[in-house]
């Protein structure tokens, strides 16, 4: 139920965005108001699955599948930036 209104809103905004572009076919093209989704799926990591600091935000991955986190997002941007490559369960010093 919740996805349908959102989908409709997306379609509506897309139509609104497309209309001025068609009308100003010969004029100056307005800059896009919304950045498209630029992250290619093959380069994006799945969302973190482990909350290591208990703040309710997932911030680590268990890539080895041993039940312990081995990859961390320490700055909260969603991209991994710390790794445990020596297997001691702690992020390795850079
Ligand atoms: Ca957390
Ligand atoms: Ca990060
Ligand atoms: Ca380590």
């Amino acid at each position: 139920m919740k996805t349908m209104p959102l989908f409709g809103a997306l379609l509506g905004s897309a139509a609104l965005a497309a209309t001025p572009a068609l009308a100003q076919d010969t004029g100056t093209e307005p800059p896009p108001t919304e950045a498209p989704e630029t992250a290619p799926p093959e380069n994006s990591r799945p969302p973190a699955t482990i909350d290591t600091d208990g703040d309710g935000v997932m911030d680590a991955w268990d890539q080895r599948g041993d039940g312990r986190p081995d990859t961390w997002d320490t700055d909260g941007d969603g991209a991994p930036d710390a790794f445990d490559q020596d297997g001691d369960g702690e992020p390795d010093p850079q």
Side-chain angles (χ1 to χ4, degrees), residues 59 61 72-82:
D59 46 54
W61 293 259
W72 293 266
D73 172 22
T74 60
D75 55 11
D77 65 354
D81 42 57

Short mmCIF file of all heavy atoms in Angstrom, two decimals, residues 59 61 72-82, ligand 2:
data_model
loop_
_atom_site.label_atom_id
_atom_site.label_comp_id
_atom_site.label_asym_id
_atom_site.label_seq_id
_atom_site.Cartn_x
_atom_site.Cartn_y
_atom_site.Cartn_z
N ASP A 59 26.55 -0.64 11.11
CA ASP A 59 27.79 0.01 10.72
C ASP A 59 28.90 -0.98 10.39
O ASP A 59 30.06 -0.59 10.28
CB ASP A 59 28.26 0.95 11.84
CG ASP A 59 28.16 0.28 13.20
OD1 ASP A 59 28.73 -0.80 13.37
OD2 ASP A 59 27.49 0.85 14.08
N TRP A 61 30.00 -5.07 8.54
CA TRP A 61 29.68 -6.21 7.70
C TRP A 61 30.45 -7.44 8.20
O TRP A 61 31.57 -7.31 8.69
CB TRP A 61 30.10 -5.97 6.25
CG TRP A 61 29.36 -4.91 5.53
CD1 TRP A 61 28.35 -5.08 4.64
CD2 TRP A 61 29.59 -3.50 5.59
NE1 TRP A 61 27.94 -3.86 4.15
CE2 TRP A 61 28.68 -2.88 4.72
CE3 TRP A 61 30.48 -2.69 6.31
CZ2 TRP A 61 28.64 -1.50 4.54
CZ3 TRP A 61 30.44 -1.31 6.14
CH2 TRP A 61 29.52 -0.73 5.26
N TRP A 72 34.06 -2.30 8.59
CA TRP A 72 33.34 -1.28 9.34
C TRP A 72 33.19 -0.01 8.52
O TRP A 72 34.08 0.34 7.72
CB TRP A 72 34.08 -0.91 10.63
CG TRP A 72 34.14 -2.02 11.63
CD1 TRP A 72 33.28 -2.23 12.67
CD2 TRP A 72 35.11 -3.06 11.71
NE1 TRP A 72 33.67 -3.34 13.38
CE2 TRP A 72 34.78 -3.87 12.82
CE3 TRP A 72 36.23 -3.41 10.94
CZ2 TRP A 72 35.53 -4.99 13.18
CZ3 TRP A 72 36.97 -4.52 11.30
CH2 TRP A 72 36.62 -5.30 12.40
N ASP A 73 32.06 0.67 8.78
CA ASP A 73 31.89 2.03 8.28
C ASP A 73 32.01 2.95 9.49
O ASP A 73 31.08 3.12 10.26
CB ASP A 73 30.52 2.19 7.61
CG ASP A 73 30.23 3.64 7.26
OD1 ASP A 73 31.18 4.42 7.13
OD2 ASP A 73 29.05 3.98 7.12
N THR A 74 33.18 3.52 9.67
CA THR A 74 33.43 4.27 10.89
C THR A 74 32.95 5.71 10.82
O THR A 74 32.80 6.36 11.85
CB THR A 74 34.93 4.27 11.23
OG1 THR A 74 35.64 4.88 10.15
CG2 THR A 74 35.43 2.84 11.43
N ASP A 75 32.71 6.23 9.62
CA ASP A 75 32.29 7.62 9.53
C ASP A 75 30.84 7.79 9.11
O ASP A 75 30.37 8.90 8.92
CB ASP A 75 33.21 8.40 8.59
CG ASP A 75 33.29 7.75 7.22
OD1 ASP A 75 32.48 6.84 6.95
OD2 ASP A 75 34.15 8.15 6.43
N GLY A 76 30.11 6.66 9.00
CA GLY A 76 28.67 6.74 8.80
C GLY A 76 28.23 7.14 7.41
O GLY A 76 27.08 7.50 7.22
N ASP A 77 29.13 7.06 6.41
CA ASP A 77 28.71 7.43 5.07
C ASP A 77 28.17 6.25 4.28
O ASP A 77 27.83 6.38 3.13
CB ASP A 77 29.85 8.11 4.31
CG ASP A 77 31.02 7.15 4.07
OD1 ASP A 77 30.98 6.02 4.58
OD2 ASP A 77 31.96 7.56 3.38
N GLY A 78 28.11 5.07 4.92
CA GLY A 78 27.57 3.90 4.26
C GLY A 78 28.59 3.11 3.48
O GLY A 78 28.29 2.03 2.99
N ALA A 79 29.80 3.66 3.35
CA ALA A 79 30.86 2.95 2.63
C ALA A 79 31.86 2.40 3.64
O ALA A 79 32.21 3.09 4.61
CB ALA A 79 31.56 3.89 1.66
N PRO A 80 32.33 1.20 3.42
CA PRO A 80 33.30 0.63 4.37
C PRO A 80 34.62 1.39 4.33
O PRO A 80 35.09 1.77 3.27
CB PRO A 80 33.47 -0.80 3.88
CG PRO A 80 33.06 -0.79 2.45
CD PRO A 80 32.02 0.29 2.32
N ASP A 81 35.20 1.61 5.50
CA ASP A 81 36.47 2.32 5.53
C ASP A 81 37.43 1.73 6.56
O ASP A 81 38.50 2.27 6.79
CB ASP A 81 36.26 3.81 5.81
CG ASP A 81 35.21 4.03 6.88
OD1 ASP A 81 35.40 3.51 8.00
OD2 ASP A 81 34.20 4.69 6.60
N ALA A 82 37.05 0.63 7.17
CA ALA A 82 37.98 -0.06 8.07
C ALA A 82 37.81 -1.56 7.87
O ALA A 82 36.69 -2.04 7.69
CB ALA A 82 37.71 0.32 9.52
CA1 LIG B 2 32.53 5.10 5.71
#
